[in-house]
Amino acid sequence: MGPVLAVGVCREARAWSLQGGPRPMGPGRAGPMRSSVAAPDCCGGLGNLDFRKADLCVMTRLLGYVDPSEPHFVAAVLTIAFNPLFWNVVARWEHKTRKLSGAFGSPHLACCTLGGAILLLNVLRSHCFTQAMLSQPRMQSLDNPLAYRMGLALLGVGGMFVLSSFLALGFTGTFLALGRGPGSSWREPGARGGCAGDYFGILKETRVTTFPFSVLDNPMYWGSTANYLGWAIMHASPAGLLLTTVVALTYTVAILYEEPFTAEIYRQKASQAHKRS
């Protein structure tokens, strides 16, 4: 967010707070209108702009539209947090025990089954995300054709990255991708990143360098984040913007958690290959 927009939001939020206006709670209602009463500049003017304060003002304004205890919002946060936890726990358990591969009689079949479960969980997450937006107020400043088109463009870009990643990697190479995110391009021994196949013993030797991996790390993760951001802007939803932040933070933590483990898988594979040679 640029400095001018941040200062404007700060002033609006401060004026509304000084007037003691109630938080908008009804779904679909527009948020507080800008007050005509002059209010102190919370950021100290452009000459002394503190970006940390500006960001806090923006966050305060967004929180003024959102009821975090609303059941749909809580469900959306839980599904966002649960999905990477689920696939990391199950994948590491499979890598250690090979129980799923044994139960399904094939690592490829087990990998596809787990990928299907992840896909269904992602559908549930998107449904909860949408219901959370619909149950919370809309932001008037985002409820305009320009913002809608911007959200639509983000949705298109995110969809392009997600779809192109899937086409480049295939089904087993897409879900549970680690290190650099779902659909990681790395497939070299000792390199960072991986996929569901890594945990099922389905390892590859070559690196995917075609689009979108030629322009972006973690294209599946960040494409998905762009989808949620665009969807939130199209609905003029402060709740959606906050949930998108949760999505981005969750993916960031997942990458930091997954990357060392996947690197260790390829290190072990390289070590075994060296011993055989």
Side-chain angles (χ1 to χ4, degrees):
M1 175 173 292
V4 176
L5 180 56
V7 171
V9 171
C10 290
R11 288 175 174 170
E12 182 175 347
R14 184 68 174 268
W16 183 253
S17 175
L18 290 173
Q19 290 184 353
R23 282 171 42 181
M25 297 303 296
R29 290 170 48 191
M33 298 294 292
R34 181 184 294 273
S35 170
S36 60
V37 179
D41 185 353
C42 69
C43 298
L46 288 175
N48 299 310
L49 184 61
D50 187 332
F51 285 94
R52 290 174 298 178
K53 291 182 179 179
D55 289 340
L56 287 176
C57 290
V58 172
M59 186 62 66
T60 299
R61 185 182 181 218
L62 288 178
L63 289 174
Y65 289 85
V66 180
D67 178 11
S69 63
E70 197 277 324
H72 291 99
F73 188 87
V74 173
V77 172
L78 291 177
T79 55
I80 290 170
F82 175 77
N83 283 13
L85 176 64
F86 167 79
W87 69 58
N88 273 286
V89 170
V90 174
R92 293 196 180 199
W93 173 73
E94 163 62 19
H95 181 262
K96 182 178 180 180
T97 66
R98 301 299 186 203
K99 293 289 187 180
L100 287 178
S101 296
F104 286 94
S106 164
H108 285 85
L109 181 57
C111 183
C112 289
T113 302
L114 184 56
I118 295 171
L119 182 60
L120 292 177
L121 285 173
N122 288 341
V123 171
L124 176 62
R125 177 181 61 182
S126 297
H127 171 75
C128 292
F129 187 101
T130 301
Q131 292 302 310
M133 290 194 301
L134 296 178
S135 65
Q136 303 272 358
R138 296 168 67 91
M139 180 180 285
Q140 187 180 21
S141 58
L142 287 178
D143 198 3
N144 59 77
L146 178 60
Y148 185 89
R149 288 192 290 269
M150 183 184 302
L152 191 62
L154 283 170
L155 197 64
V157 171
M160 176 186 64
F161 280 123
V162 171
L163 181 60
S164 58
S165 298
F166 183 87
L167 294 176
L169 298 173
F171 190 88
T172 58
T174 296
F175 295 101
L176 274 169
L178 307 179
R180 290 176 176 251
S184 168
S185 64
W186 290 94
R187 296 292 181 271
E188 296 175 343
R192 298 186 298 170
C195 66
D198 298 342
Y199 293 93
F200 289 83
I202 309 171
L203 302 177
K204 297 182 179 180
E205 299 293 343
T206 58
R207 178 183 178 183
V208 179
T209 57
T210 56
F211 182 85
F213 303 103
S214 58
V215 298
L216 180 69
D217 287 340
N218 311 298
M220 188 74 70
Y221 273 161
W222 304 128
S224 176
T225 303
N227 284 340
Y228 284 117
L229 178 59
W231 195 234
I233 293 176
M234 289 173 66
H235 284 79
S237 173
L241 295 177
L242 288 177
L243 289 173
T244 301
T245 303
V246 177
V247 170
L249 290 175
T250 301
Y251 281 157
T252 300
V253 172
I255 292 171
L256 295 175
Y257 179 71
E258 295 162 352
E259 186 174 82
F261 189 78
T262 307
E264 178 62 18
I265 291 177
Y266 281 99
R267 188 196 66 79
Q268 293 176 5
K269 180 178 182 293
S271 177
Q272 292 172 1
H274 178 72
K275 290 179 181 179
R276 287 195 299 266
S277 63

